[in-house]
Structures are given as structure tokens and as C-alpha cells.
Amino acid sequence: MRNILIGGLAASVLAFGQANADEQTLKIGTVAGPETEVMQVAADIAEREYGLNVEITEFTDYVTPNAALADGSLDANAYQHEPYMQSMVEDRGYDFAIAGRTFVYPIGAYSEKYDSIEELPDGATIALPNDPSNEGRSLILLHNEGLITLDDPENLEATPLDVVENPHDFKFREIEAAQLPRVLPDVDMAFINNTFAQPAGLTLDDALLKEGAESPYVNIIAVRAGDEDKESIQQLVDAYQSDEVEAKARELFGAQAVPGWK
């Protein structure tokens, strides 16, 4: 009987230790590139200040990190803005919540053929990111510049089908966001998220059109609904919303990363 009790106690202690270790480990998804470097600074702070073990998994597309969060492979991801997350929630039935805000990374329109938007000719081919919200984001920029007219400029998920006036006869190509820098030589202009523009050597100083700091597309740390107030998640958020992380983003992005928590 004594051996059984001791064995049971040992198993309980082991299970408690494993549960505690699980609570102190967070699996975070990011998109490969400089944003991962920013998250690594937050991970180092979280380990130093809170004893968290943050495991970062890098992805090369915008869809898989949300699928991994939904199926429990990740505890959180940090790569998307709220409109994109909401579009995925509506399209795929995910049950996500926002744990905290990170940075605004303004989107820009780039060209290797023209130096200003005024030079863009009639009939120009414009490449757009094909994910629901970033495509609308790009079209809204064109609308706000008076280059096209959308039937509803408040529709964050607008597509070329929502263009009701196209006086310059622009041709639109819908391309996966990660591929946009590669197709830039083949089109007249391409809207490229900073996630992919910066590694390709593009800066907002090069953009023919760009969002301002007032952009509503602030990036977020997304979690499964119900996890947003977990202590370890909020410790990660605190670590991210720090001066060290802001300094790293400034080093990597310059003025192209605007803190969204201030």
C-alpha cells in the first residue's frame, strides 16, 4: 500500500510539474522576416521578466498561422491586423480574440517603372494582395487618391468587382502577398505590405502611394477566444509593448513601424 501511495504521489507531482511547464511555454506564430526578429526581443524579455519560454514558429503565408492557432498548434500569433482577422473569423468560423496591439505597418504602392503616381499611364497593370482585407485596403487607397471609385469606400473587403468607375482603365492582378515583390518587375505598380516590402529592399520613401500613421490597420496578437486574459498571454503582451521592442522595430523598419499601443 505504501508503494502505491508513493507511486501515486510521484505521478501527481510529475503531472503538476508538466502542467506548470505547459503554462510557462507559449507557442507563437509569426511571418518570416524582420517581424520575427521583433518578436524575438519580446520573447527574450518575457523569459527574463516572467520566466516564460516563448517558442516562435515562422510561416511564409497569411493563412496557415490562423489555421495553426485554431487547431491548437499555436497559443497565439502576431502578424495580422484586426480587419484581416475578422475576415478570417467570418469566412472560416474561427473563434479568435485580440490579446494586445503591436504595430501599424503602412502598406505602400511600388513601381520599378515610374517615379510618381502622376506618371502611371492609362491601362496600367496594378498588382493587389489577394487576401480579403489587404486587397480592400489597397483599393481604398486608390479611391482616396481619386484614381478609381468604389461603390462603398468603407468596405474593407472590396475587390476589383466593387470598382464602379475606372477612368484610367487600370488592369488589376490579384497575387498572393508574399509573391508581390517578385512580380513587381512585370507590372506597372504593386501594393506590397511592409512585411514583404522591407525584406525586398523597399521602403515607404520609395512608394508612389502609402498609408499614413492614422491607418486603422494596426497589427495584433491574436489568440483563441477565452485565452486573451490568461496570465502568460498578458505577460507576453506586456513584454511586446516595451521600449526595447519599439527600439528594435525602429532599428529594422525606421519610421515604417508605428507603435499601436500608444
Side-chain angles (χ1 to χ4, degrees), residues 21-209:
D22 290 343
E23 290 178 1
Q24 291 301 106
T25 297
L26 288 178
K27 297 179 179 179
I28 310 299
T30 62
V31 169
E35 289 180 53
T36 298
E37 296 182 53
V38 175
M39 177 56 75
Q40 185 60 58
V41 174
D44 293 342
I45 296 170
E47 180 180 19
R48 183 178 72 232
E49 299 293 331
Y50 304 111
L52 289 178
N53 175 33
V54 178
E55 299 176 359
I56 300 173
T57 299
E58 295 183 277
F59 296 85
T60 57
D61 69 281
Y62 281 176
V63 176
T64 312
N66 275 337
L69 178 59
D71 70 19
S73 301
L74 298 174
D75 298 301
N77 62 46
Y79 76 101
Q80 63 190 321
H81 49 63
E82 183 176 358
Y84 180 76
M85 186 195 78
Q86 292 300 338
S87 72
M88 294 290 280
V89 166
E90 292 171 8
D91 290 346
R92 305 196 176 207
Y94 294 148
D95 192 13
F96 291 163
I98 298 172
R101 297 175 179 272
T102 61
F103 291 93
V104 177
Y105 296 99
I107 197 170
Y110 300 89
S111 176
E112 292 188 355
K113 300 177 181 179
Y114 306 104
D115 295 324
S116 71
I117 195 65
E118 290 76 21
E119 295 179 18
L120 195 68
D122 289 352
T125 298
I126 300 175
L128 306 170
N130 67 355
D131 57 272
S133 59
N134 284 313
E135 184 169 47
R137 183 182 187 183
S138 304
L139 291 168
I140 289 169
L141 259 181
L142 288 171
H143 173 95
N144 290 342
E145 287 293 316
L147 296 171
I148 62 171
T149 301
L150 294 170
D151 61 355
D152 178 9
E154 301 297 320
N155 177 14
L156 300 183
E157 296 185 17
T159 74
L161 295 176
D162 299 303
V163 177
V164 292
E165 292 183 20
N166 184 7
H168 300 284
D169 195 30
F170 293 141
K171 308 297 189 297
F172 298 107
R173 289 181 58 188
E174 298 166 290
I175 306 290
E176 183 181 349
Q179 302 304 316
L180 286 165
R182 296 180 186 177
V183 304
L184 185 57
D186 303 319
V187 298
D188 295 297
M189 188 170 74
F191 284 87
I192 306 176
N193 296 66
N194 196 61
T195 300
F196 302 113
Q198 197 271 347
L202 301 169
T203 74
L204 285 176
D205 292 336
D206 304 318
L208 307 191
L209 294 175

Side-chain angles (χ1 to χ4, degrees), residues 205-257:
D205 292 336
D206 304 318
L208 307 191
L209 294 175
K210 58 187 174 184
E211 289 177 315
E214 72 283 356
S215 168
Y217 292 89
V218 60
N219 279 22
I220 57 175
I221 296 174
V223 297
R224 291 181 295 278
D227 287 350
E228 61 268 29
D229 294 323
K230 286 179 63 174
E231 182 179 21
S232 56
I233 292 293
Q234 282 306 310
Q235 288 171 340
L236 175 68
V237 172
D238 288 343
Y240 198 103
Q241 295 176 349
S242 64
D243 291 342
E244 288 179 59
V245 167
E246 183 178 351
K248 184 63 176 180
R250 189 180 305 113
E251 172 193 327
L252 294 171
F253 298 108
Q256 298 179 94

